[in-house]
């Protein structure tokens, strides 16, 4: 008779079974744990078989949003190129080409109103499975036209509407005016479905992580305290898979990076080299085969004399301040005789390495004392005073970001030699660009008179001109508040020319020929030099090049290979 619940095992049999199982377990070897926890879309590879390239870098610190001034860095550019989808990317000559990894096509489909239609691939999706769609275009457009401290927003301000068809895979972007530079828009799209309602909103977007990605690599580890970012091949990527299993970005001092290249622990390095590092690399090249390349960034170091600051509204004061500065010394201090020393920026808008660059620098020979006297200041106790108040300026720079902090201290020292008092204020980048320089600062925040900050060109120099020196909301919906440029500069005498350059009514070269002399005379900005990194590559890392202009070496990491792996 069978009992309910099945037959029972007798105690003696149970003891024998337990003994047998214990014996089998003792003879077996427990498999080692995986190298890292398994993550969907990434393959776990045993460490001894890893096909990886390790790149030494100066830093891996956060704020990885490539659309913000606060996020500009070598690592942000690198991560954006590998993890975020773009409608267009830079070709070898710097011209924009449609990215067929994301789009089927993009073209102007209507002249009135000026309309561009983007067709997104059906299989293009974020790493969490959500499709890349029209909502991602809308999110970026809305944020770029409304948020302070964004990079080159002028083109986005021309957009009047975005509509979608076919489940969001066909996107129609309508402009208020024709915009020849439309191909520079909608690069590095962000996952709207995760960010639009996220705590902290835009200000916290990509502060220290990527909630979702869409590229040949995905983030395995992003460890800022340890200074290491590990990217692994994204097996969910719908196009040609990356040749490498992993790309590792590893922070170290430049001397430690040189040591890692000597031992082969690093196979490449991307650093803002100084004179000492260049000598170390030359010494290494005598014993180790390697290649080097200068990699200019889309970033020019500039000194802004802000008309928006009460003490700087008088053009004669701004002229005196900039005339008190020794550009050669500032450039030497900022470049440290590294590769950027050869990229002196003598134009207000176009970076030195970009097509269309023409030096326009016009020195003002008027002595500092004469300018300040004409502005109503008199010498007093080794300084300058007007109406009983000393001329004392606040010089701001993004905290911890070089070469801006170093240059800011040099500015302070040089001004003091002319009797102009000043103090350096280093502020977290998101606060500096999002509050202090945006015109949104409250009365309890110190007014910034001078700012040592980057000027960035994301592809369309006409948009860079309008974003950096154009007047507020002149082309947009005047009912919608739009942040001013970082200096608060607005000159109606050149505003029409700036607008005509943006909309293609005049050639950019013709517009710059008229606008740049005014900018020099108005003493709003003193450009210094274009930031550049040095790429060092050992033979073990194959196909590693400087990349397309301003895209950076890691933009081609999907084709990198490791010799002997």
């Amino acid at each position: 008779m069978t009992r309910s619940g099945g037959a029972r095992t007798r105690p003696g049999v149970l003891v024998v079974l337990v003994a047998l199982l214990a014996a089998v377990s003792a003879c077996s070897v427990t498999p080692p744990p995986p190298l890292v926890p398994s993550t969907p879309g990434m393959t776990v590879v045993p460490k001894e078989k890893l096909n990886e390239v390790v790149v030494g870098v100066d830093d891996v610190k956060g704020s990885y949003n490539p659309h913000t001034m606060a996020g500009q860095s070598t690592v942000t550019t690198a991560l954006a190129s590998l993890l975020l989808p773009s409608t267009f990317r830079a070709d070898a000559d710097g011209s924009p080409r449609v990215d067929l990894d994301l789009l089927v096509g993009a073209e102007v489909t209507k002249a009135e109103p000026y309309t561009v239609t983007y067709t997104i691939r059906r299989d293009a999706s974020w790493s969490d499975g959500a499709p890349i769609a029209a909502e991602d275009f809308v999110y970026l457009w809305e944020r770029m036209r409304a948020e302070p401290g964004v990079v080159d927003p002028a083109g986005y301000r021309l957009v009047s509407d975005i509509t979608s068809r076919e489940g969001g895979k066909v996107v129609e972007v309508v402009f208020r005016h024709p915009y020849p530079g439309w191909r520079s828009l909608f690069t590095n799209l962000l996952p709207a479905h995760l960010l639009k309602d996220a705590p902290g909103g835009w200000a916290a977007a990509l502060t220290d992580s990527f909630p979702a990605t869409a590229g040949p690599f995905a983030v395995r580890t992003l460890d800022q305290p340890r200074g290491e970012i590990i990217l692994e091949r994204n097996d969910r990527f719908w196009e040609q898979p990356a040749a490498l299993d992993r790309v590792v970005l590893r922070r170290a001092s430049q001397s430690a990076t040189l040591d890692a290249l000597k031992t082969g622990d690093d196979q490449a390095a991307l650093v803002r080299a100084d004179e000492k590092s260049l000598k170390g690399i030359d010494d290494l090249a005598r014993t180790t085969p390697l290649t080097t390349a200068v990699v200019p960034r889309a970033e020019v170091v500039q000194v802004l004399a802000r008309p928006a600051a009460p003490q700087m509204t008088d053009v004669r004061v701004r002229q005196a301040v900039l005339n008190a500065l020794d550009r050669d010394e500032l450039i030497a201090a900022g470049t440290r005789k590294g590769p950027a020393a050869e990229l002196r920026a003598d134009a207000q808008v176009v970076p030195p390495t970009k097509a269309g660059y023409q030096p326009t620098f016009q020195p003002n020979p008027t002595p500092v004392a004469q300018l300040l006297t004409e502005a109503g200041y008199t010498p007093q106790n080794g300084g300058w005073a007007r109406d009983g108040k000393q001329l004392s300026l606040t010089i701001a720079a993004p905290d911890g970001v070089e070469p801006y902090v170093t240059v800011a201290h040099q500015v302070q020292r040089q001004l003091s030699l002319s009797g102009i008092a000043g103090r350096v204020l280093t502020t977290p980048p998101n606060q500096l660009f999002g509050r202090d320089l945006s015109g949104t600062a409250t009365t309890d925040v110190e007014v910034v008179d001078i700012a040592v900050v980057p000027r960035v060109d994301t592809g369309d120099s006409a948009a860079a001109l309008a974003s950096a020196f154009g007047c507020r909301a002149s082309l947009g919906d005047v009912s919608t508040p739009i942040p001013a440029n970082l200096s608060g500069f607005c000159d109606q005498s050149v505003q029409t020319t700036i607008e005509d350059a943006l909309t293609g009514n005049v050639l950019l070269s013709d517009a710059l020929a008229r606008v740049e002399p005014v900018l020099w005379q108005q003493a709003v900005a003193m450009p210094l030099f274009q930031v550049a990194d040095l790429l060092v590559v050992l033979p073990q890392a194959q196909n590693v090049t400087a990349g397309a202009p301003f895209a950076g070496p890691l933009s081609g990491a999907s084709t990198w290979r490791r010799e002997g792996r």
Side-chain angles (χ1 to χ4, degrees):
M1 180 175 177
T2 304
R3 297 177 181 270
S4 174
R8 295 180 178 177
T9 304
R10 287 177 294 176
V13 175
L14 181 59
V15 170
V16 172
L17 288 174
V18 170
L20 287 172
L21 287 172
V24 171
S25 297
C27 296
S28 64
V29 178
T30 303
L35 179 65
V36 290
S38 180
T39 301
M42 289 182 281
T43 303
V44 177
V45 182
K47 185 174 183 179
E48 65 273 10
K49 295 184 179 180
L50 274 177
N51 179 20
E52 68 178 14
V53 168
V54 180
V55 183
V57 294
D58 293 321
D59 212 334
V60 299
K61 59 188 170 188
S63 192
Y64 303 117
N65 188 338
H67 301 289
T68 65
M69 297 296 293
Q72 298 308 299
S73 72
T74 297
V75 167
T76 293
T77 299
L79 295 180
S81 69
L82 293 177
L83 304 176
L84 299 176
S86 291
T87 55
F88 283 79
R89 297 190 187 273
D91 218 335
D93 61 357
S95 61
R97 59 169 174 79
V98 65
D99 189 348
L100 297 178
D101 287 350
L102 175 67
L103 299 180
V104 175
E107 59 183 341
V108 177
T109 52
K110 192 182 295 183
E112 186 59 44
Y114 195 82
T115 304
V116 176
T117 300
Y118 302 85
T119 304
I120 305 171
R121 290 177 53 151
R122 297 285 173 179
D123 52 358
S125 62
W126 296 100
S127 54
D128 62 356
I132 300 172
E135 68 170 337
D136 302 314
F137 285 67
V138 172
Y139 176 75
L140 186 57
W141 164 54
E142 290 178 341
R143 301 278 56 81
M144 291 296 288
R145 69 196 295 264
E147 298 286 348
V150 295
V151 177
D152 289 354
Y156 289 95
R157 293 173 182 171
L158 289 179
V159 175
S160 61
D161 192 23
I162 297 179
T163 60
S164 68
R165 294 184 283 108
E166 300 184 25
K169 287 295 185 177
V170 176
V171 185
E172 293 181 341
V173 179
V174 182
F175 294 81
R176 292 187 181 86
H177 303 271
Y179 181 41
W182 62 269
R183 293 172 183 82
S184 67
L185 303 181
F186 303 110
T187 59
N188 300 318
L189 291 169
L190 303 176
H193 65 291
L194 297 176
L195 295 179
K196 61 184 178 181
D197 298 320
W202 175 263
L206 277 61
T207 300
D208 52 17
S209 64
F210 288 77
T213 60
F217 288 89
V219 178
R220 166 65 72 185
T221 302
L222 203 163
D223 192 333
Q224 292 185 43
R226 288 184 57 198
E228 186 172 80
I229 299 175
I230 299 176
L231 307 176
E232 293 201 348
R233 183 175 55 242
N234 180 10
D235 292 337
R236 288 183 173 179
F237 186 52
W238 53 93
E239 258 300 340
Q240 182 72 26
L244 291 174
D245 297 323
R246 306 199 321 183
V247 173
V248 180
L249 305 180
R250 188 167 291 158
R251 179 189 67 207
S253 66
Q254 292 189 8
S255 60
T257 297
L258 272 175
D259 290 340
L261 289 169
K262 289 178 184 177
T263 60
D265 291 336
D266 289 1
Q267 293 78 53
L270 185 62
V271 295
R272 197 174 65 85
D274 57 15
E275 184 179 28
K276 181 179 179 181
S277 299
L278 291 178
K279 184 181 184 304
I281 292 168
D282 287 342
D283 292 342
L284 179 62
R286 294 189 180 95
T287 58
T288 305
L290 56 81
T291 59
T292 62
V294 175
V295 184
R297 293 181 46 74
E299 183 178 337
V300 169
V301 178
Q302 63 177 349
V303 179
L304 284 182
R306 305 184 66 240
Q311 294 187 103
M312 305 293 283
T313 55
D314 191 322
V315 64
R316 293 167 297 187
V317 175
R318 299 197 301 273
Q319 290 172 344
V321 166
L322 296 190
N323 280 9
L325 301 179
D326 185 325
R327 291 183 77 221
D328 293 338
E329 283 191 6
L330 293 179
I331 292 169
T335 62
R336 300 178 299 176
K337 298 184 179 180
E342 304 300 320
L343 302 179
R344 184 187 183 98
D346 286 333
Q348 290 279 350
V349 177
V350 181
T353 62
K354 188 175 182 181
Y357 170 76
Q358 291 290 336
T360 59
F361 175 57
Q362 297 179 348
N364 183 342
T366 310
V368 172
Q370 178 181 332
L371 289 165
L372 290 177
T373 300
E374 291 175 355
Y377 284 91
T378 57
Q380 189 177 94
N381 300 324
W384 293 89
R386 183 176 64 184
D387 300 328
K389 185 177 180 180
Q390 184 186 32
L391 179 62
S392 181
L393 305 177
T394 297
I395 306 158
D399 185 35
V401 181
E402 291 293 353
Y404 300 97
V405 174
T406 292
V407 172
H409 283 285
Q410 286 294 317
V411 168
Q412 178 195 35
R413 184 188 66 81
Q414 291 185 8
L415 291 179
S416 69
L417 297 177
S418 295
I420 301 174
R423 61 180 292 265
V424 174
L425 175 69
T426 54
T427 307
N430 60 332
Q431 293 182 26
L432 178 65
F433 297 108
R435 182 195 66 184
D436 298 2
L437 301 180
S438 68
T440 60
T442 57
T443 55
D444 61 338
V445 175
E446 187 168 4
V447 173
V448 173
D449 301 293
I450 300 171
V452 183
V453 291
R455 188 191 71 230
V456 181
D457 186 328
T458 57
D460 178 23
S461 293
L465 168 64
S467 300
F469 302 109
C471 299
R472 168 182 277 184
S474 59
L475 287 173
D477 179 0
V478 294
S479 65
T480 302
I482 297 178
N485 55 60
L486 295 180
S487 67
F489 174 76
C490 175
D491 188 335
Q492 292 296 337
S493 71
V494 294
Q495 180 61 20
T496 299
T497 302
I498 292 174
E499 294 175 2
D500 285 344
L502 184 64
T503 57
N505 289 327
V506 299
L507 293 175
L508 176 63
S509 57
D510 293 340
L512 292 177
R514 180 183 174 194
V515 173
E516 292 229 0
V518 175
L519 296 177
W520 288 112
Q521 190 277 331
Q522 286 293 314
V524 178
M526 176 186 282
L528 299 176
F529 60 91
Q530 185 174 355
V531 179
D533 296 317
L534 185 70
L535 175 67
V536 184
V537 185
L538 299 184
Q540 297 95 310
Q542 300 180 339
N543 298 337
V544 181
T545 67
F550 303 159
L554 276 89
S555 62
S558 62
T559 65
W560 291 3
R561 294 182 181 276
R562 175 74 179 271
E563 184 183 55
R565 297 292 179 96

